[in-house]
Amino acid sequence: MNNHKSHVIILILICFFLKSDVIFSQDLTQQLFDAGVKLFSNKDYSGAADYFGQICDMSPDHTQARSYLVQSLIAMKKYREALASINKFLQKSPGNSEFVAMKQRIDALLNPPKVTVEAPASKQEYVMRTHTLSLSPISSEKPDKRPEKRPAKPAEPVKSRNTALDQALEAIDSQRYQEAINILDSLISKDPKNAQAWHYRGMVERQMGNHTEALPYFEKEVVIAPNGFEGYFSLGDILLKLGRLEEAEKAFEKAVKIKQGLYAMINLAETKKLLGKKKDTIELYKQIIKLEPEHPDAKLNIADALIEDGKIQEALGHVNDILSQTPLNGMAHFLKGKILMKNEMYDEAINEIRSAIAAQPDNEVFGNFLAKVFMSSGKTPEALDAANKVLQINPDNEEARIMIAEVLIKTGDIANAEDHVARIESSGKSARAFLFRARIFRAKGERDSALEMYKNYVNVASDDVEGVFEYAALLEESEDKASAVDMYKAIVEKFPGTSYSAISEERISTLGPLLAPAAQATQQPAPGTPQGKVTY
């Protein structure tokens, strides 16, 4: 690193003797920037940090150099130095969404948040409540990597000469939110067309976690400043947090159209992924990697999208490439574990997920997936232990509680299972509570209650072939063979090629002949009815 510093000093001295002050500053900054980008592309993050750090010392507001400096420090795992650099920038521009996002990501790396995934009433309402699994990247942009036709640079919220706005920004930065609210509300009342005031008013609510309250401020901002990147970016971010995915998608698309910021593109891709638009998601990630080939999180995101799209070998290539460069990357190990799980290579998958957990011990998603792999491989005691460890991290993690309930029911520990099922029912978030309650009633021999619960479950979770099959089997046991055959036929039609479909076809073949005589009997004339005459 010292060698790079000497190169920087020599470059400064040469320009000092050869250039005037103005030309010196412009030329030196560009030379340092070009040298830094080259080193960054070659993965010489230490050298790149030297060059970008020098630019930031000379020009603290140089956004691109600051972004590269932060990424270089993160690549070297110097998270606190990266955070200090971001905070220095945010002192002047606290509302810059991309740098706020960088700060949040580094905070998450230093203090991994707890994960709570809320089960939605509908697919559109699904929202991951943490960035632990979302793979949100650090934004950076290379001028030489951008498309030739770049949109005009939008008017972004910057430090104003307005004393009141300066005071509001200082209050936001110091987390004196009520003071900031009072100042900003006064500004808006005096000048309703002040887009910056509306933007920062929304940022206050966002930083306080009041997403619903933040929404109208960003909606107003984009009306006043329809060409502003920051407004659409922040609007999309809030809509995404509120689970309004289609609207978030439109907002991020407008932001990306104004400026191809990587973080906005990543958020757009993640939104499309939640909407089930797999091809669009993969195409976006490919564009992101073209803009920033060395961005590790972009590679992770495209690998995850490829896994969801069933392109396993292509995904594995990306994951192995990441692990060859960063062997301790927890998310890469997790994704490789998912790939191995899909190929039913359970022992290998368990090893990868354990490596992921070693890198991020408090990651609840990793812990739950380990429990799932154990369950799939028939190792129920290990699955129970893994899920219980997640509950130790977060007692409210419902996914872990669901797996514990399932294991306890399967192993016949109904008494302990009922306690977990009751807590799942009380939250009202998971339809599987119906399934678990049905299994408990069935284990207790309460057939009618079990049938009612299975019926409730199938009505809300008809895509769960296991639950549908259990319902059909219980109908058959209850001598309601006609209803059982109808359910088996539904399984054959909806889940062709599965083991459940094959078994259902066998049951239909067995039960069909038994139903035929009963059907014929219903068609026979009542005793004493003359043949050939119609009865009314």
Side-chain angles (χ1 to χ4, degrees), residues 26 82 95-96 111 156 201 221 225-226 243 270 274 298 335 337 355 370 385 489 496 504 511 521 532:
Q26 294 174 344
N96 186 295
N111 303 291
E156 299 181 1
R201 185 64 178 82
E221 180 190 1
E270 285 298 291
L274 291 173
L335 293 178
S355 295
L370 179 61
D385 181 61
K489 286 180 178 178
S504 295
L511 296 175

Side-chain angles (χ1 to χ4, degrees), residues 405 408-421 436-437 439-444:
L408 292 173
I409 292 170
K410 284 184 177 180
T411 56
D413 191 351
I414 302 301
N416 284 322
E418 285 198 276
D419 178 59
H420 289 282
V421 172
F436 294 151
R437 188 58 69 184
R439 289 172 176 173
I440 289 173
F441 281 135
R442 191 175 184 181
K444 291 181 173 181

Side-chain angles (χ1 to χ4, degrees), residues 100-144:
V100 168
M102 284 194 253
K103 181 176 180 178
Q104 290 175 339
R105 174 163 172 74
I106 296 172
D107 283 338
L109 290 169
L110 292 170
N111 303 291
K114 294 182 177 181
V115 176
T116 49
V117 181
E118 296 184 4
S122 65
K123 180 179 178 182
Q124 284 71 24
E125 293 177 6
Y126 177 83
V127 181
M128 188 69 80
R129 299 300 182 190
T130 176
H131 291 295
T132 301
L133 189 58
S134 67
L135 311 179
S136 303
I138 303 298
S139 172
S140 66
E141 299 175 35
K142 291 184 181 180
D144 55 329

Side-chain angles (χ1 to χ4, degrees), residues 43 45 294 296 299 318 320-328:
K43 301 174 187 176
Y45 301 117
E294 301 305 323
K299 290 183 179 180
H318 283 286
N320 284 335
D321 181 48
I322 295 165
L323 288 174
S324 69
Q325 299 172 43
T326 54
L328 300 180

Side-chain angles (χ1 to χ4, degrees), residues 369-426:
F369 194 79
L370 179 61
K372 183 179 179 181
V373 178
F374 278 132
M375 286 180 67
S376 298
S377 61
K379 298 178 179 180
T380 51
E382 291 88 345
L384 194 61
D385 181 61
N388 273 315
K389 285 180 179 177
V390 174
L391 283 187
Q392 289 173 11
I393 298 169
N394 177 16
D396 295 326
N397 189 302
E398 189 152 300
E399 186 178 353
R401 195 170 296 283
I402 285 171
M403 283 189 281
I404 291 171
E406 188 162 358
V407 170
L408 292 173
I409 292 170
K410 284 184 177 180
T411 56
D413 191 351
I414 302 301
N416 284 322
E418 285 198 276
D419 178 59
H420 289 282
V421 172
R423 294 187 64 170
I424 296 167
E425 287 173 328
S426 67

Side-chain angles (χ1 to χ4, degrees), residues 12-227:
I12 293 172
L13 290 172
I14 291 172
C15 291
F16 178 78
F17 286 112
L18 295 179
K19 309 259 182 198
S20 69
D21 288 344
V22 176
I23 299 175
F24 160 76
S25 176
Q26 294 174 344
D27 188 65
L28 175 59
T29 298
Q30 189 59 49
Q31 288 186 55
L32 289 172
F33 188 85
D34 291 343
V37 168
K38 184 176 181 180
L39 290 169
F40 187 91
S41 299
N42 291 330
K43 301 174 187 176
D44 184 351
Y45 301 117
S46 176
D50 283 339
Y51 283 97
F52 294 127
Q54 184 65 39
I55 295 172
C56 291
D57 288 341
M58 296 188 301
S59 305
D61 296 330
H62 197 299
T63 306
Q64 292 172 336
R66 181 77 60 182
S67 178
Y68 272 108
L69 173 60
V70 170
Q71 290 190 78
S72 299
L73 292 169
I74 290 174
M76 294 187 288
K77 301 189 184 300
K78 295 184 177 181
Y79 302 129
R80 297 195 184 281
E81 290 183 39
L83 190 59
S85 183
I86 289 175
N87 285 334
K88 187 173 182 180
F89 180 83
L90 289 176
Q91 285 176 1
K92 291 190 175 183
S93 301
N96 186 295
S97 297
E98 295 198 27
F99 276 82
V100 168
M102 284 194 253
K103 181 176 180 178
Q104 290 175 339
R105 174 163 172 74
I106 296 172
D107 283 338
L109 290 169
L110 292 170
N111 303 291
K114 294 182 177 181
V115 176
T116 49
V117 181
E118 296 184 4
S122 65
K123 180 179 178 182
Q124 284 71 24
E125 293 177 6
Y126 177 83
V127 181
M128 188 69 80
R129 299 300 182 190
T130 176
H131 291 295
T132 301
L133 189 58
S134 67
L135 311 179
S136 303
I138 303 298
S139 172
S140 66
E141 299 175 35
K142 291 184 181 180
D144 55 329
K145 293 289 184 180
R146 289 186 179 184
E148 290 183 6
K149 294 183 179 179
R150 287 180 286 175
K153 186 175 180 180
E156 299 181 1
V158 296
K159 186 177 180 181
S160 170
R161 296 182 184 277
N162 187 305
T163 303
L165 188 58
D166 286 341
Q167 291 173 356
L169 301 188
E170 182 183 351
I172 295 172
D173 195 42
S174 302
Q175 298 184 4
R176 303 194 311 272
Y177 296 128
Q178 188 55 54
E179 181 182 339
I181 288 171
N182 294 338
I183 296 169
L184 292 167
D185 282 349
S186 176
L187 282 173
I188 290 170
S189 137
K190 293 174 183 176
D191 181 9
K193 293 186 178 181
N194 187 330
Q196 288 183 325
W198 286 99
H199 176 84
Y200 290 123
R201 185 64 178 82
M203 288 300 296
V204 172
E205 297 293 347
R206 181 190 184 280
Q207 289 183 220
M208 292 171 66
N210 302 330
H211 301 140
T212 301
E213 291 79 0
L215 180 60
Y217 294 105
F218 294 126
E219 288 178 328
K220 184 67 174 179
E221 180 190 1
V222 299
V223 171
I224 298 170
N227 295 320

Side-chain angles (χ1 to χ4, degrees), residues 195-482:
Q196 288 183 325
W198 286 99
H199 176 84
Y200 290 123
R201 185 64 178 82
M203 288 300 296
V204 172
E205 297 293 347
R206 181 190 184 280
Q207 289 183 220
M208 292 171 66
N210 302 330
H211 301 140
T212 301
E213 291 79 0
L215 180 60
Y217 294 105
F218 294 126
E219 288 178 328
K220 184 67 174 179
E221 180 190 1
V222 299
V223 171
I224 298 170
N227 295 320
F229 169 83
E230 293 288 340
Y232 283 111
F233 180 92
S234 300
L235 178 60
D237 177 60
I238 289 297
L239 289 167
L240 182 59
K241 285 178 168 60
L242 292 173
R244 293 163 60 170
L245 301 183
E246 290 86 356
E247 295 170 84
E249 179 186 29
K250 291 178 182 177
F252 285 130
E253 283 176 342
K254 288 181 179 178
V256 170
K257 187 175 181 180
I258 294 168
K259 183 177 75 173
Q260 285 194 318
L262 285 181
Y263 193 72
M265 293 177 74
I266 282 285
N267 276 5
L268 176 57
E270 285 298 291
T271 305
K272 287 182 179 292
K273 179 180 176 182
L274 291 173
L275 287 168
K277 298 181 178 181
K278 296 178 182 179
K279 291 183 179 179
D280 289 350
T281 302
I282 291 171
E283 183 59 36
L284 263 170
Y285 282 129
K286 287 180 178 178
Q287 292 177 30
I288 291 164
I289 289 177
K290 284 181 181 178
L291 287 170
E292 184 53 84
E294 301 305 323
H295 204 297
D297 281 346
K299 290 183 179 180
L300 286 169
N301 280 329
I302 194 170
D304 195 29
L306 288 166
I307 292 170
E308 294 300 317
D309 199 34
K311 298 178 180 179
I312 303 300
Q313 286 303 121
E314 191 176 349
L316 185 60
H318 283 286
V319 171
N320 284 335
D321 181 48
I322 295 165
L323 288 174
S324 69
Q325 299 172 43
T326 54
L328 300 180
N329 189 308
M331 186 56 69
H333 282 292
F334 171 71
L335 293 178
K336 190 167 185 177
K338 285 178 71 174
I339 292 170
L340 293 166
M341 168 76 165
K342 284 183 177 291
N343 289 328
E344 298 184 358
M345 300 172 66
Y346 299 119
D347 289 340
E348 293 84 352
I350 288 167
N351 289 335
E352 291 296 332
I353 302 302
R354 280 175 168 163
S355 295
I357 293 172
Q360 298 181 33
D362 292 334
N363 190 306
E364 298 165 44
V365 174
F366 296 173
N368 279 332
F369 194 79
L370 179 61
K372 183 179 179 181
V373 178
F374 278 132
M375 286 180 67
S376 298
S377 61
K379 298 178 179 180
T380 51
E382 291 88 345
L384 194 61
D385 181 61
N388 273 315
K389 285 180 179 177
V390 174
L391 283 187
Q392 289 173 11
I393 298 169
N394 177 16
D396 295 326
N397 189 302
E398 189 152 300
E399 186 178 353
R401 195 170 296 283
I402 285 171
M403 283 189 281
I404 291 171
E406 188 162 358
V407 170
L408 292 173
I409 292 170
K410 284 184 177 180
T411 56
D413 191 351
I414 302 301
N416 284 322
E418 285 198 276
D419 178 59
H420 289 282
V421 172
R423 294 187 64 170
I424 296 167
E425 287 173 328
S426 67
S427 75
K429 297 176 182 177
S430 176
R432 289 187 73 80
F434 289 124
L435 178 63
F436 294 151
R437 188 58 69 184
R439 289 172 176 173
I440 289 173
F441 281 135
R442 191 175 184 181
K444 291 181 173 181
E446 301 176 23
R447 183 178 293 171
D448 289 343
S449 296
L451 284 170
E452 186 64 26
M453 285 295 166
Y454 274 121
K455 183 179 179 180
N456 290 338
Y457 181 65
V458 169
N459 284 338
V460 296
S462 59
D463 289 334
D464 181 5
V465 63
E466 184 180 20
V468 177
F469 183 82
E470 287 180 22
Y471 183 32
L474 188 57
L475 286 168
E476 183 180 346
E477 289 177 19
S478 305
E479 301 300 324
D480 188 354
K481 293 182 173 56

